[in-house]
Amino acid sequence: MNMLDQKVHESNGIKTTPENEIIDLVVRSVKPFPGETWETMLRFSGPTDDEKQAMLQTVDTLFQRGYELVVATYDHLRNFPETAEILGWQDHMDEAHLAERRRFFTVWLARTLSMDFGTQFADYLFYAGKVHAAHGKRHIETPSMWITGSIGLIIGTFARFIIEAQQFNPEQTALALSGWNKYLLVQLNQMQVGYEAGKELNDGLQVINVMAYAM
C-alpha cells in the first residue's frame, strides 16, 4: 500500500498497518466483575482466620439483638432531616415503604451474621448499591455519603452489643470488632462499586471504543 492509499483509508476511519506488525488487541479500562472486586478486597483487607473465629463467637449475641438494630436504624433515618427528606418521610411515614426497607435490611443482616464470604453475596451487595442509585422499585437515589454513614453506625452498634453482652474477654472483643470492621468495610466498597455503576447508567450512554478486523 502506498502513502496515498494509506491516507485514503485513514480518512475513511480505517487505519491499516504494515504486514506482520504486532497489533495490540488488549481491551483496557474494563471494570472487573463484582465477584472479582469482592475477592480482591477480601484478600487485601478481609478478616484474618483468628478474627473470623472471634466473630463467630459473637454471632449469637448480635443475632439476638438483630430486630432492635433494624428498627433503630430506620428510626434514625426517619428522624434525621436530610435522610428523611431523601426517603420522602419528612411529612409523614409511609408504612409500606418502611416495611420494604426493613425487609431488605433484615435479609442483609442475616447474610452478614452468617458471615457469607461468597461471590453470590458480592452480587447482592453490588445490587444493593445500584438500588441506592435509584435502580430499585421506588427509584429513590440515596447519595453514597449516607451509605458510608450507615455502615459506620452499624459498626458502632455491633461494638456496643458485643461490649454490653459482657461475655467476651478483651482479646476476643478486640479480634471480633477488628474482623467485623474489616468485613463491613469490604461490604461498603462493594456497595459503592454498585452505586457508581448505577450512577454511570443514569448519566447516559456509555462510549465503548471498538476496533474490528474483517476481510
Side-chain angles (χ1 to χ4, degrees):
M1 175 182 291
N2 59 40
M3 292 300 294
L4 178 60
D5 289 335
Q6 183 171 350
K7 288 180 179 179
V8 170
H9 277 267
E10 290 181 353
S11 68
N12 290 328
I14 303 171
K15 184 176 181 180
T16 61
T17 58
E19 188 176 358
N20 299 326
E21 180 178 335
I22 297 174
I23 302 172
D24 183 2
L25 298 178
V26 177
V27 179
R28 295 182 173 82
S29 302
V30 176
K31 293 182 179 179
F33 287 109
E36 293 173 333
T37 300
W38 173 254
E39 291 179 336
T40 298
M41 290 303 296
L42 284 174
R43 286 190 293 106
F44 179 70
S45 60
T48 65
D49 289 340
D50 287 343
E51 289 167 341
K52 288 178 182 177
Q53 287 301 314
M55 291 163 68
L56 278 171
Q57 301 306 312
T58 65
V59 167
D60 188 55
T61 294
L62 296 172
F63 180 75
Q64 289 181 39
R65 301 187 69 174
Y67 179 75
E68 179 184 343
L69 172 61
V70 173
V71 172
T73 297
Y74 282 100
D75 282 348
H76 185 70
L77 291 174
R78 69 179 178 179
N79 290 321
F80 194 76
E82 288 86 345
T83 51
E85 184 174 357
I86 290 168
L87 295 169
W89 296 348
Q90 65 272 32
D91 296 323
H92 69 280
M93 171 57 64
D94 183 335
E95 294 297 336
H97 186 193
L98 175 61
E100 290 170 12
R101 292 268 174 172
R102 282 181 174 177
R103 284 194 295 271
F104 194 90
F105 190 85
T106 299
V107 170
W108 167 81
L109 181 61
R111 297 189 72 167
T112 295
L113 294 182
S114 72
M115 294 173 57
D116 189 342
F117 293 100
T119 54
Q120 272 196 333
F121 192 34
D123 291 339
Y124 174 83
L125 293 166
F126 182 86
Y127 168 72
K130 288 179 63 179
V131 168
H132 286 89
H135 286 256
K137 175 182 176 181
R138 294 178 180 269
H139 305 290
I140 296 173
E141 181 182 342
T142 305
S144 61
M145 62 185 287
W146 305 118
I147 305 173
T148 302
S150 295
I151 290 294
L153 290 172
I154 291 163
I155 290 171
T157 303
F158 273 25
R160 179 167 61 84
F161 287 170
I162 290 169
I163 292 169
E164 287 177 355
Q166 297 183 343
Q167 296 177 0
F168 313 102
N169 64 45
E171 182 180 0
Q172 286 178 311
T173 299
L175 283 170
L177 291 179
S178 176
W180 286 119
N181 184 65
K182 290 179 179 179
Y183 183 38
L184 288 168
L185 288 179
V186 171
Q187 289 194 29
L188 172 61
N189 180 74
Q190 194 71 10
M191 287 188 283
Q192 294 283 22
V193 171
Y195 177 84
E196 290 166 6
K199 286 288 292 178
E200 288 175 2
L201 286 174
N202 295 344
D203 291 340
L205 296 174
Q206 302 302 299
V207 176
I208 302 176
N209 296 318
V210 177
M211 184 177 291
Y213 296 84
M215 295 296 293

